[in-house]
Amino acid sequence: MKKKIYYFISLMITVLLCASCITEDEYDDSPEGNFEALWQIIDRQYCFLEYKKQEYGLDWNEIHSQYKQRISPKMNNEQLFDVLAEMLNELRDGHVNLSSKLEYSQYREWFDSYPANFSDSIQRVYLGKDYALASGLKYQIFEDNIAYIYCSSFQSGIGEGNLDEILNKLAICDGLILDVRNNSGGDLTTAEKLAARFTNEKVLVGYMSHKTGPGHNEFSTPKPVYLEPSLDRVRWQKQAVILTNRRSFSATNDFVNKVNRLPKVTVIGDKTGGGSGLPFSSELPNGWSVRFSASPIYDPDMKHLEFGIDPKIKVDMTSEDMQRNVDTIIEKAREYIHSHKQ
């Protein structure tokens, strides 16, 4: 664990040092100055410009030409914020945000354009009134002896002792459903801590690099990222199914990538929301803050994870099932576990 923490700290220090080496021109605090500063920050430091040019034809120079025409010396802060936020949305990245004292921009199409594939009210039926809760994890044993854990966020820490207790209690079950639908992310270390409970050996789960210069293709050599088992802790040894939807984003996307290669883990549901680049922040002349993806993460085949991870078994919740308070995705997971019992 100490090595992992040291590696992560070293990586972030390198990112910060490299970002500081990417010199930026000085701009004044005017609508045009703030526009130019924002465009340049993204141009020199955002890590997916070339990738998104290949994926959907993003031309950041053309974006500059289009949006510069909408900048006027007489526009107020609200008008300027709207234009800048709209320009950032061209990146199609939920990690890219513009913040002022009064407003906050966020690209939402990565989940708004897809089925929700999750219902709080239906989930409450499955959890019942006697579910257990520890470290933010809700868990229950279904009547068919299938364990169910709902992880709604990686924002708060998950205690190792709590995980031991939960997995020990559920060890009698035939399989485990771990639901990370609507989990929008949080701390990568927390997500890795949970993923480490599903492997007994060190596994290559991807690569990470960072920007080394202002060019769109200037990156460090990708370094391998491994998932290591949680030593001297309880680890799950039976079939496990991970449930995902489009709101499984950021650190949750990373979690799904880590467990996706494990032999006893199967991902069922909808494609995850993506958000693979580690975020970094900078500031405009007027004090507004911009957050953007600075370090790309790849899967073991060196494929980008930015736009999400496909499940092994694609399932959508049907309207007929929802009317009956049935979660189609949970039922598919139960069916899968029963057909793959050891």
Side-chain angles (χ1 to χ4, degrees), residues 40-161:
Q40 186 187 86
I41 287 170
I42 298 300
D43 183 63
R44 297 186 175 189
Q45 300 184 45
Y46 182 67
C47 67
F48 293 125
L49 287 176
E50 192 62 28
Y51 169 61
K52 293 187 176 181
K53 181 178 182 180
Q54 297 171 4
E55 288 295 302
Y56 62 90
L58 175 69
D59 186 332
W60 194 239
N61 288 320
E62 178 60 26
I63 295 297
H64 180 278
S65 300
Q66 292 177 9
Y67 282 86
K68 186 174 182 178
Q69 298 175 23
R70 298 172 57 181
I71 302 298
S72 165
K74 296 183 179 180
M75 66 195 314
N76 59 37
N77 282 339
E78 183 178 353
Q79 294 167 330
L80 176 63
F81 189 95
D82 289 343
V83 173
L84 297 186
E86 190 174 337
M87 180 177 75
L88 291 178
N89 282 346
E90 299 281 358
L91 299 172
R92 304 182 187 181
D93 188 337
H95 271 152
V96 176
N97 314 109
L98 183 65
S99 302
S100 71
K101 291 181 179 180
L102 299 176
E103 297 184 80
Y104 179 82
S105 74
Q106 182 183 26
Y107 178 72
R108 298 183 179 88
E109 289 298 312
W110 56 269
F111 62 83
D112 278 348
S113 298
Y114 294 81
N117 280 322
F118 184 77
S119 166
D120 288 316
S121 60
I122 294 177
Q123 188 203 41
R124 285 196 292 271
V125 174
Y126 282 82
L127 281 170
K129 296 181 179 179
D130 59 343
Y131 68 86
L133 175 65
S135 281
L137 301 175
K138 297 178 180 179
Y139 60 101
Q140 179 64 279
I141 298 177
F142 294 154
E143 65 276 6
D144 56 353
N145 202 38
I146 298 294
Y148 175 82
I149 300 176
Y150 181 59
C151 178
S152 62
S153 175
F154 289 121
Q155 293 287 352
S156 301
I158 298 176
E160 296 282 17

Side-chain angles (χ1 to χ4, degrees), residues 80-326:
L80 176 63
F81 189 95
D82 289 343
V83 173
L84 297 186
E86 190 174 337
M87 180 177 75
L88 291 178
N89 282 346
E90 299 281 358
L91 299 172
R92 304 182 187 181
D93 188 337
H95 271 152
V96 176
N97 314 109
L98 183 65
S99 302
S100 71
K101 291 181 179 180
L102 299 176
E103 297 184 80
Y104 179 82
S105 74
Q106 182 183 26
Y107 178 72
R108 298 183 179 88
E109 289 298 312
W110 56 269
F111 62 83
D112 278 348
S113 298
Y114 294 81
N117 280 322
F118 184 77
S119 166
D120 288 316
S121 60
I122 294 177
Q123 188 203 41
R124 285 196 292 271
V125 174
Y126 282 82
L127 281 170
K129 296 181 179 179
D130 59 343
Y131 68 86
L133 175 65
S135 281
L137 301 175
K138 297 178 180 179
Y139 60 101
Q140 179 64 279
I141 298 177
F142 294 154
E143 65 276 6
D144 56 353
N145 202 38
I146 298 294
Y148 175 82
I149 300 176
Y150 181 59
C151 178
S152 62
S153 175
F154 289 121
Q155 293 287 352
S156 301
I158 298 176
E160 296 282 17
N162 289 133
L163 281 175
D164 285 343
E165 184 177 334
I166 292 170
L167 295 179
N168 266 326
K169 184 175 180 179
L170 301 180
I172 61 171
C173 297
D174 296 324
L176 168 65
I177 298 172
L178 176 57
D179 195 343
V180 293
R181 290 177 295 173
N182 279 33
N183 183 333
S184 60
D187 189 288
L188 286 172
T189 303
T190 301
E192 182 177 16
K193 183 188 296 184
L194 183 58
R197 296 306 186 104
F198 293 91
T199 184
N200 293 319
E201 58 186 19
K202 183 178 179 179
V203 180
L204 175 69
V205 293
Y207 296 87
M208 181 185 294
S209 59
H210 56 264
K211 288 282 287 179
T212 57
H216 294 180
N217 283 313
E218 292 189 63
F219 294 98
S220 64
T221 301
K223 291 186 177 182
V225 178
Y226 295 93
L227 175 65
E228 298 188 32
S230 186
L231 299 177
D232 302 319
R233 292 292 183 179
V234 179
R235 298 192 295 273
W236 187 257
Q237 304 297 321
K238 300 177 183 178
Q239 288 290 331
V241 171
I242 312 298
L243 306 188
T244 58
N245 67 351
R246 286 297 291 181
R247 287 179 181 257
S248 303
F249 183 73
S250 191
T252 308
N253 190 72
D254 185 71
F255 168 81
V256 173
N257 175 60
K258 281 182 167 61
V259 298
N260 201 26
R261 301 288 173 136
L262 304 181
K264 293 183 180 180
V265 176
T266 303
V267 179
I268 293 179
D270 200 358
K271 187 174 186 176
T272 62
S276 68
L278 288 179
F280 182 71
S281 295
S282 189
E283 191 172 289
L284 304 187
N286 63 2
W288 293 353
S289 174
V290 56
R291 188 178 78 144
F292 53 90
S293 300
S295 298
I297 300 174
Y298 311 88
D299 72 7
D301 300 318
M302 281 301 295
K303 294 181 180 178
H304 279 284
L305 301 172
E306 169 65 3
F307 285 132
I309 301 167
D310 289 313
K312 180 177 180 180
I313 302 175
K314 175 71 166 67
V315 182
D316 290 319
M317 292 178 67
T318 69
S319 56
E320 293 80 10
D321 278 346
M322 293 178 69
Q323 290 174 6
R324 298 185 294 116
N325 278 336
V326 171

